[in-house]
Amino acid sequence: MIKRIDDTGPLDRRLHFTPMNSPGTQVRHLDGIRILDLFAGPGGLDVAAHFLGFKSIGIEWDRNACETRYSAGLPTIHADVSVMRESRFDEIPETVDVLAGGPPCQSFSVAGNGKGRRALTRVENFIYRLVDGEDEAKIDEELHALDDSRTALVLEPLRWLLKAIDTEGRDPYKVIALEQVPAALPLWEVYAKLLRGGEGRLKGVKYEADCWELKTEQFGVPQTRTRAVLVARRPGHGAIDPIEATHLPFDLHRGKRNAGRTEMFPTNSRIPGTKQRWLSMAEALDAASKLEGSPVDVSRLKTGGRMGFFVVSNYGSGGDPKKRGRRLSSEPAFTVTGKVSRNKVYKSMTEYEAAISERFTIPESGVLQTFPHNFPWSGNDQAQQVGNAVPPRLGMHVLSRALRGNAPSDEELAAATTWPSVPPTTTAELRVIGCGDQSQCPPNSHKVTRPRRKAAP
């Protein structure tokens, strides 16, 4: 078993952020941070880290996701990951010894245009070239010429590791935990092979490393979603055991169902030594609605006091864009994407035929991703924020295995349904840490566009 490394102790130095009125505020928020979350989004991995008892800081370029993070009390740097690595690396707390993240997956995703999948071989080649020490300026030039520039972002975790190894006064990360869409698994396998070898620019720094495909519904997420996960850890703590599923898989080829028929979902009892059945949308939403102060109200989804609805996906099925998939409330949700607000919810076939539908609210969509029911979604494009995030419950299993060598406890998982309240003063202080005077934020990210006035008739 790997022991949790002591989180105590002050920062070795102040970070180069815009000073706040209180000199101690910066250190108070950033003291003891261990996890750096690249491409942090609204905070899926950071939420997971919080409930496991670890402090994290995230780098995120999207202003809206940053606003959610500030409201949730999550330390953040509003910046481009590449820029931070190239010119602001010294601003990362020296207490950070865990590198985590999920590079943007649109170019690799099955739902995307697929250019990233076709570029897998080229990207693998870039990985080897980086480790072999080839000129990075030349590599950057070729990366920028790719059909989809986002494809290159999957290389950033490796480049951050190499930066830490090359920087005097910095130690290599002790733990690395990465996730992506399944199409990226071959890249994680290349990562794992190189990390185990420690050759070239890795300068003898070796890791125990392994990667897997994980299905979210097998970890208590009320949603079918498959992720490619890499976990690497410096030697000395034993081999990395596979991340063990706690729930049964959902049968995606279960045959045709009457999507309009209301079904009572079976009891999801916990029998020691056995896996639980996957969690349904109805179970997750109903449980969230019963929590104190919950913004989740499922009364509109009930008929005769009983939960029963079906969801029609925004995406086509079987290669036919007109053939929309359907899920019953007694089943897990489809993969929650940035278009989740476009999915239509019907209580009966009568409503379906009459085109009378509901939509999941942002808190409900967040619950289907296993965010706390009261998570303070902020800024614009909130549906996109929800869809881009790592499901926190899956993140808890990944980080717990990587950092502690075991699964999260039942008590930790149970506590992850409610987010602690964050004072407005904390949000304001974190915004100053993250954005400062806005001069180092991504270009035009704080630009306010005003609607044009209509011409007088």
Side-chain angles (χ1 to χ4, degrees):
M1 292 289 191
I2 185 171
K3 294 182 179 180
R4 181 184 299 189
I5 300 170
D6 184 19
D7 292 341
T8 61
L11 287 173
D12 293 329
R13 60 186 176 82
R14 294 291 179 87
L15 304 190
H16 299 171
F17 293 116
T18 302
M20 288 177 283
N21 293 332
S22 172
T25 300
Q26 204 161 254
V27 172
R28 176 169 59 85
H29 289 307
L30 301 178
D31 186 21
I33 283 176
R34 288 198 52 205
I35 301 173
L36 173 63
D37 185 5
L38 305 177
F39 312 103
L45 284 176
D46 303 79
V47 170
H50 167 83
F51 287 114
L52 292 174
F54 296 98
K55 292 187 67 174
S56 63
I57 187 168
I59 301 174
E60 175 53 42
W61 73 271
D62 179 65
R63 177 190 178 191
N64 295 307
C66 287
E67 284 302 317
T68 292
R69 295 178 60 85
Y70 300 148
S71 297
L74 299 174
T76 305
I77 304 173
H78 183 199
D80 179 274
V81 165
S82 300
V83 171
M84 287 298 302
R85 171 179 53 80
E86 292 168 356
S87 60
R88 299 174 60 188
F89 187 79
D90 62 339
E91 295 181 20
I92 302 302
E94 293 178 0
T95 51
V96 165
D97 62 358
V98 180
L99 183 67
C105 64
Q106 290 89 340
S107 63
F108 289 93
S109 176
V110 172
N113 57 28
K115 291 180 180 178
R117 296 195 304 277
R118 293 191 292 271
L120 277 175
T121 301
R122 291 185 65 188
V123 175
E124 288 181 19
N125 182 254
F126 282 123
I127 292 174
Y128 282 107
R129 290 167 62 185
L130 281 170
V131 173
D132 287 343
E134 191 170 322
D135 181 58
E136 287 204 43
K138 177 176 173 55
I139 291 176
D140 283 333
E141 183 179 347
E142 293 184 37
L143 287 172
H144 293 151
L146 291 176
D147 292 335
D148 191 330
S149 60
R150 294 173 299 184
T151 304
L153 296 178
V154 78
L155 300 174
E156 279 298 327
L158 174 61
R159 302 183 83 166
W160 274 80
L161 171 59
L162 295 174
K163 182 78 172 184
I165 292 173
D166 291 339
T167 301
E168 185 178 354
R170 292 277 181 162
D171 293 324
Y173 302 108
K174 295 177 180 177
V175 176
I176 300 171
L178 307 174
E179 66 85 35
Q180 247 277 11
V181 294
L185 186 62
L187 300 182
W188 289 165
E189 290 171 343
V190 173
Y191 264 53
K193 177 182 177 181
L194 291 171
L195 292 174
R196 288 191 289 261
E199 298 178 357
R201 287 182 63 196
L202 291 170
K203 299 178 181 178
V205 176
K206 297 182 179 181
Y207 290 81
E208 300 284 349
D210 208 345
C211 48
W212 317 271
E213 278 192 8
L214 303 180
K215 296 180 181 297
T216 56
E217 81 271 15
Q218 291 192 261
F219 295 89
V221 179
Q223 166 197 175
T224 54
R225 187 188 195 113
T226 304
R227 307 304 288 178
V229 171
L230 165 75
V231 171
R233 195 166 58 208
R234 293 301 306 278
H237 303 290
I240 298 174
D241 295 325
I243 302 174
E244 297 180 3
T246 55
H247 293 64
L248 297 170
F250 177 68
D251 183 8
L252 293 174
H253 306 287
R254 60 204 180 283
K256 294 183 178 180
R257 296 281 190 88
N258 180 357
R261 180 164 56 89
T262 301
E263 294 190 359
M264 291 294 291
F265 48 80
T267 302
N268 198 353
S269 57
R270 181 73 177 270
I271 301 174
T274 64
K275 290 184 173 64
Q276 303 176 71
R277 193 216 51 179
W278 37 260
L279 194 67
S280 71
M281 290 182 279
E283 290 170 301
L285 294 174
D286 192 51
S289 71
K290 295 175 181 177
L291 297 172
E292 183 178 355
S294 177
V296 176
D297 181 3
V298 295
S299 60
R300 75 188 194 290
L301 302 177
K302 292 183 177 181
T303 301
R306 195 177 73 174
M307 183 89 76
F309 59 84
F310 65 95
V311 181
V312 178
S313 172
N314 177 61
Y315 293 101
S317 177
D320 184 355
K322 295 181 180 179
K323 185 180 179 182
R324 307 294 184 182
R326 299 182 187 180
R327 288 281 175 88
L328 298 170
S329 58
S330 56
E331 299 173 329
F334 296 106
T335 297
V336 175
T337 71
K339 304 296 189 294
V340 63
S341 59
R342 298 184 185 180
N343 291 346
K344 295 182 179 180
V345 183
Y346 300 92
K347 288 193 294 183
S348 67
M349 281 302 296
T350 301
E351 289 191 354
Y352 176 71
E353 291 166 356
I356 302 173
S357 65
E358 296 280 352
R359 305 290 177 112
F360 287 129
T361 65
I362 294 300
E364 290 166 352
S365 300
V367 166
L368 297 179
Q369 278 274 60
T370 62
F371 276 88
H373 70 100
N374 60 336
F375 196 69
W377 300 101
S378 304
N380 296 322
D381 297 328
Q382 292 181 13
Q384 192 68 50
Q385 293 183 48
V386 174
N388 286 347
V390 179
R393 189 176 177 109
L394 178 66
M396 290 179 70
H397 281 274
V398 173
L399 290 178
S400 185
R401 175 64 68 190
L403 290 163
R404 308 188 303 198
N406 56 19
S409 68
D410 290 342
E411 292 74 19
E412 288 169 331
L413 293 171
T417 57
T418 301
W419 193 248
S421 60
V422 176
T425 52
T426 296
T427 295
E429 290 165 358
L430 290 174
R431 188 178 291 113
V432 171
I433 291 174
C435 292
D437 61 3
Q438 302 179 6
S439 64
Q440 292 184 296
C441 294
N444 299 321
S445 59
H446 289 272
K447 182 179 180 181
V448 178
T449 56
R450 303 184 184 280
R452 295 181 179 180
R453 293 182 179 180
K454 294 183 178 180

